[in-house]
Each structure stands twice: as C-alpha cells, then as structure tokens.
Amino acid sequence: MSTNTTELMQRAMQWINQDPDQETRAELADLVDRAEKTDQAALSDLEERFSGHLTFGTAGLRAEIGAGPMRMNRVVVSHAAHGLGHFLLEKLKPQTPSVVVGFDARHKSDVFARDTAEVLQGLGINAILLDQHTPTPVVAFAVRHLGVDAGVMVTASHNPPADNGYKVYLGGDDGGSQIVPPADQMIHQAIMTSHASTSATALARASDYQTIGEDVIAAYIEATTRVVAGRSTAGRESLRICYTPMHGVGASVFHRVLTNTGFTTVIDVAEQVEPDPDFPTVAFPNPEEPGALDLAMATATREEADIIIAHDPDADRLAVAVPDGSGSGWHMLSGNEVGALLAWDITGHRSDQGGVLGCSLVSSPVLARIAKHRGYQSTVTPTGFKWISRLPDVVFGFEEALGYLVNPETVRDKDGISAGLLIAAIAAEQKAQGNSLTDVLDDLRHTVGGFASGQISLRFESPAIAQELMSTVRARPEEVFPDLAVDSITDYEQGTGGFPPANIVQFDLVSGDRIIMRPSGTEPKLKVYLDSLRPHQTDADKAVTELTATVQGSIDALTASA
C-alpha cells in the first residue's frame, strides 16, 4: 500500500471516529475495508470523497448525502453550524446572536437541522428550531418576522433525491436575504478552522434551544394573504386549480393560503401531494425538467382544471401551466412569461409608481420595457436571488428559473407560495371576465412588444465538465457561433459593468437577440439562455426557434471537440 493510500485510510478512519451517524459511519467503514482489499472502485470513491471539502458559497452547501468531507453528512453540517456560529459571534460581538433553523422533508434534513440548533446553542447562541418540516419561504419570512440575526434552511431545493443542502440568510442590515460575498468566504473560513481544529464529537452541544412552529407558520400565512388584499374576489370560488407540490413540503401551507383567500376548488395531484424524499414519480423533482408536470397535466385534463400550479420540493419556485387551446392539452408558461405577467399585474394595480423592478442577467429584458411603460425603474442584477432581494426599493423581482418576489415587505427571497397565490388571483379575475392568463400575456405583448426566450440545458456527470466547457468557450469565444452575426461578446469572469466576477459569457447579436452561457450554480449543468425582443410576437417566436437550432448545432460541435 502506497504512502498516499495509507494516509487516505488514516483520514477515513479519523472521519469514522468523529461521525455520530451510524449509517454514514458504516458506509465509510465498508469503503475502507474494500479499498484495503484492493477494490479499485472503492479506492477511487474514497479518493474523491476526501479530495477536498465542500465549499460554503453564497448558495451555502449542496451535495449528495454520504460520508466524507465532499458529501453532506452530520460531520460536515456540525462544522458548518460551528463555523457559522463563530462568524455571527465575531460579527455581532458583544451581542448574543439569534438564529432560526428550518428544514424540508428530504433525507436527514430534520437531523441536520437539529445538529445545527444544538451546535449553535452550544456556542451560547440563541437557536430557534422549527418543530416541523416547512417551505423555504417560511424560514426566510421567520428571519424578518422574529427579528433574528440569521436563518438556516436545510434543503437541496429541486436537486435529485440523493442530495441535501444548507442555505443561510442574514438579518439586520442584510434584511433577511441570502448571504453574498464576502460573508460566504468568511463563513467558509470559519468552517475550515473548525474542521481543522476540532473533532465533530468534541463540539459543544446544548439541547435547550427554543422550538417554534405553528405560530410562525400562521404569521407567514396571514402576511402572504395580504398579497391579494383589496383585489376583486370574483372567480375565486369557480376557479379550478390543479396543484402539485412535487413530493415536497408546500401543500399544507399553500392550501391554507388558498382557503383563507376564498379559493375553494383545489385538486391535488394525488401521487405527489405527500412529502416523499425519494420523489418516486419524477426523474428530477424540478418543474422545469421535461416530464415533471406530466401527472399534473393528466390530472388537470381529467378534472377539467383551469390552471396548473406547481411548486418545487421546498416551494420557493413556482411553475404555471394553462390550457393550450386544443381542448385537451396544456402549455407550461416559461419563467420569463410568468415573471412578465406578474410584473404587468403588480405595476397595473399599484397606485404609487415609485420603486424598482428587478431581474437577473439571464432573465428576459422585457422587464425593462414593462418598467418604462408603467413608469418604474428597472435593474438587472447578477444571477442569484440574493441580489434581486437586496435591491433598494424593490417592488417586484424575478428570475427565469421560476423564482418570483411579490411580497418584499415580508420575504426577501423567491417565494413560490405568495407568487402562486397572486397567479391564482389573476386567473380568477380573468375567468370572471371570460378571459385567461393567455389573454393577459397577449395584452402585454400588444402593448410593449413581443418577447420570447429559450434555454438549452446540458447535464453532465460532474460540475467540472461544465466548467471545462466554459473554459473552452472563453478561450476562443469568437469561434463558438460561426453561423451567427455576433455584434459583441462580454465576459463576466473578472467582473464588468458593476457586476461581480461570474462564470458567464454573453453574446449580443447584430439582430438584437442575445445568448448567455453559464454553468449551473447547484447542479452539474451548462445552461445556454436565448432571448429575443421584437415588435411582434410572431417575429420573436421565430427568432428564438431559429436561434435555438443554430446554437444547439454549435454547442454539439463544441462538446464533440472538447
């Protein structure tokens, strides 16, 4: 056995000795045993698990559950809580920090949340643990509602079933938004210090943390119902809503919100309404993925629904589908279409035109047209809702990836529940007038011009492959799209135009259309975003259709040569 392998085995044994989880301890012991018997697959697996440590970034932590520092497990989570606690103690001294901790229904989410509360309380921090699984927006709300200094949500959102994650919000001057640099690097450094200096089993823990549940959920529901306060209630009793929480935790809270605002006919997708961490009916628990809404569409057709509303598993994202006009088919609205529809409605109902509409760089530029027409300011932010939620005077914000901020007074993050309520209210009002959401979009496009978007998403075995492909693009950007007339290329790697450094390359075409390439921040994907603004919708649709075919061909050639 080589020196490197011996050292690897020693590190694995040290990890086993500090792991309080019998399951992951046994998993790692089995790998060590097989590797010692010259099982090359086991040795490679061990090498990968101990090749580094999960990096705590602005999205917190997210990875597959398993043993070792490159996985999500109780050791990693305990050190994450310890590092976060030290960051807060240093930031707020001499005050005693307070943190609210929530969790979804994924595998080990409740265990990771309890570990977090115990470690934080052990540091002398006032930890408040939610006593039941809950949607992410409830935790984001709780940070502001309770006036605490930070919030932790244990969730992997819409990632595959094997994953889990750890998301952090900051109170005070941060207003309950997710962390941004340099806080992420500071927390990561504190985590690494904890990991290097203290065994997970030696971390001080305390079980006298506070628990909270129904009170904060009820407060969230009450605040969320105000999103539709003062609007016409016409059509709410007759609107037939088909709803799926995608095996996640949104159903209980969303049902209560709908009931409290007069919606009486909600038809659940029976196979998906109960929380299930294995997500058995979908390949990926993400409403954006092809096929994810198949069961909802079948249910909606059978039950003659007017609209489909879907949440991702932690209910911070919203998907909407409407009848396609064929009498039996359904059309899922894009995130850009829902974002434009919400912006159009919100600005049309506000008496005060002061404020800002915000969207991320990769979202449709149609928001600027809506803002100009309605007399609002508009701002484009870096990708990530943490930037949108921090915009001064923001009244609405969205990301094309199904994220919407419609109630910034109470939640400073994307919130699929409040956005779903507002969409339902708009649909009900339109139904009472004999119209639909499609009619609202048609009116919007007639007024501000046509807009269309497309996306090409390439999934890989590892995030590193997407990063390598971006390096190839960056090395020779002028050769990436040889069949298109490119007007300018913007590389955001070093930061530009007030944007922080980001792994994004943007191609602006002579036609006025736009292509943006970036790797996903949470999944092993490369995403290519296509956008067109034209005077007429048919022209925008045609432009994106043709652009998609051309770009797909260029990407195929690029991946083949990489």
Side-chain angles (χ1 to χ4, degrees):
M1 188 178 292
S2 69
T3 302
N4 288 344
T5 302
T6 300
E7 181 183 350
L8 175 63
M9 297 302 181
Q10 291 173 344
R11 292 178 61 198
M13 292 306 299
Q14 290 171 352
W15 190 274
I16 290 170
N17 291 335
Q18 67 170 321
D19 190 349
D21 190 316
Q22 182 177 349
E23 185 177 344
T24 48
R25 206 166 54 236
E27 172 191 324
L28 193 55
D30 177 65
L31 275 177
V32 169
D33 181 61
R34 287 161 49 203
E36 288 177 336
K37 296 175 181 175
T38 67
D39 183 328
Q40 190 57 48
L43 182 58
S44 297
D45 193 352
L46 273 178
E47 289 172 342
E48 192 277 327
R49 290 170 185 251
F50 286 85
S51 61
H53 194 286
L54 290 182
T55 300
F56 193 98
T58 56
L61 298 170
R62 198 173 294 188
E64 183 179 347
I65 297 171
M70 291 295 288
R71 299 285 190 271
M72 282 294 295
N73 51 68
R74 293 185 65 187
V75 176
V76 165
V77 165
S78 296
H79 283 299
H82 197 244
L84 172 64
H86 275 286
F87 164 79
L88 292 171
L89 288 166
E90 179 65 24
K91 178 175 184 283
L92 297 169
K93 65 181 181 183
Q95 301 174 34
T96 299
S98 54
V99 183
V100 62
V101 183
F103 57 96
D104 66 8
R106 281 179 176 266
H107 292 295
K108 297 188 184 294
S109 283
D110 57 340
V111 177
F112 294 163
R114 188 168 58 250
D115 280 334
T116 298
E118 289 178 353
V119 171
L120 290 173
Q121 193 72 31
L123 286 169
I125 292 171
N126 294 325
I128 306 167
L129 178 66
L130 283 161
D131 62 8
Q132 57 194 285
H133 56 62
T134 190
T136 291
V138 172
V139 175
F141 165 81
V143 174
R144 292 169 67 87
H145 175 69
L146 299 174
V148 296
D149 300 300
V152 173
M153 179 66 190
V154 180
T155 179
S157 189
H158 55 277
N159 272 41
D163 291 1
N164 214 325
Y166 203 83
K167 184 182 295 187
V168 172
Y169 299 89
L170 292 179
D173 293 341
D174 291 88
S177 293
Q178 287 189 60
I179 57 173
V180 294
D184 57 335
Q185 293 97 327
M186 295 169 71
I187 295 171
H188 179 69
Q189 186 56 53
I191 293 170
M192 291 299 95
T193 299
S194 171
H195 177 70
S197 62
T198 312
S199 166
T201 54
L203 296 176
R205 293 172 177 260
S207 59
D208 57 339
Y209 51 80
Q210 181 183 349
T211 58
I212 194 170
E214 175 56 29
D215 287 352
V216 75
I217 292 171
Y220 169 82
I221 290 169
E222 193 277 329
T224 300
T225 61
R226 293 199 294 268
V227 169
V228 297
R231 299 181 68 114
S232 169
T233 60
R236 293 188 189 178
E237 290 188 357
S238 64
L239 187 74
R240 296 178 65 80
I241 301 170
C242 176
Y243 172 66
T244 175
M246 205 72 68
H247 297 294
V249 296
S252 175
V253 173
F254 191 51
H255 271 283
R256 290 171 64 181
V257 166
L258 290 174
T259 299
N260 289 0
T261 49
F263 293 92
T264 59
T265 310
V266 183
I267 304 133
D268 289 322
V269 178
E271 301 91 335
Q272 297 176 336
V273 72
E274 293 299 327
D276 188 331
D278 293 318
F279 308 105
T281 67
V282 290
F284 293 96
N286 181 352
E288 289 183 292
E289 292 286 343
L293 292 186
D294 284 357
L295 276 173
M297 290 178 178
T299 302
T301 299
R302 184 177 65 250
E303 299 291 339
E304 299 182 339
D306 298 305
I307 186 174
I308 294 171
I309 293 178
H311 288 134
D312 70 338
D314 68 328
D316 63 349
R317 298 174 192 247
L318 167 74
V320 179
V322 296
D324 65 4
S326 69
S328 61
W330 291 84
H331 166 66
M332 178 175 160
L333 300 179
S334 72
N336 285 322
E337 287 175 319
V338 174
L341 194 158
L342 289 170
W344 189 242
D345 179 85
I346 288 171
T347 56
H349 278 81
R350 285 173 58 93
S351 57
D352 179 10
Q353 291 185 338
V356 172
L357 308 182
C359 69
S360 63
L361 175 67
V362 297
S363 302
S364 174
V366 73
L367 188 68
R369 288 189 175 183
I370 294 171
K372 182 178 180 181
H373 180 78
R374 287 279 170 76
Y376 286 77
Q377 297 295 314
S378 66
T379 299
V380 176
T381 73
T383 56
F385 228 88
K386 54 189 172 286
W387 300 109
I388 295 172
S389 67
R390 291 169 179 272
L391 287 174
D393 302 319
V394 64
V395 297
F396 170 73
F398 86 98
E399 277 196 319
E400 55 72 41
L402 310 184
Y404 316 98
L405 174 64
V406 303
N407 56 342
E409 297 83 5
T410 52
V411 175
R412 286 295 174 125
D413 195 14
K414 55 185 175 291
D415 182 350
I417 293 174
S418 58
L421 172 63
L422 183 52
I423 280 288
I426 300 168
E429 291 168 13
Q430 292 301 313
K431 183 177 183 180
Q433 299 169 23
N435 298 321
S436 68
L437 294 181
T438 302
D439 295 313
V440 180
L441 281 170
D442 289 344
D443 175 58
L444 162 62
R445 284 166 161 143
H446 177 76
T447 305
V448 304
F451 68 97
S453 58
Q455 185 181 131
I456 298 170
S457 185
L458 306 175
R459 182 178 288 274
F460 304 106
E461 291 183 1
S462 165
I465 301 175
Q467 301 287 351
E468 291 168 7
L469 199 55
M470 283 300 296
S471 297
T472 302
V473 169
R474 189 164 278 116
R476 49 178 198 276
E478 68 284 348
E479 300 176 18
V480 176
F481 301 115
D483 299 323
L484 296 173
V486 177
D487 182 53
S488 64
I489 301 171
T490 306
D491 188 344
Y492 291 84
E493 186 176 34
Q494 301 302 321
T496 183
F499 281 68
N503 195 0
I504 297 173
V505 178
Q506 176 175 328
F507 300 81
D508 289 289
L509 308 185
V510 173
S511 63
D513 301 328
R514 185 184 73 181
I515 304 167
I516 297 179
M517 303 179 68
R518 64 179 281 265
S520 169
T522 57
E523 298 178 89
K525 285 182 176 181
L526 179 72
K527 293 186 174 183
V528 185
Y529 305 85
L530 315 170
D531 283 288
S532 178
L533 298 180
R534 299 293 174 94
H536 302 289
Q537 187 59 36
T538 53
D539 296 332
D541 288 336
K542 180 181 179 183
V544 167
T545 298
E546 294 176 350
L547 194 58
T548 300
T550 302
V551 170
Q552 183 69 65
S554 297
I555 295 296
D556 290 344
L558 189 68
T559 54
S561 62

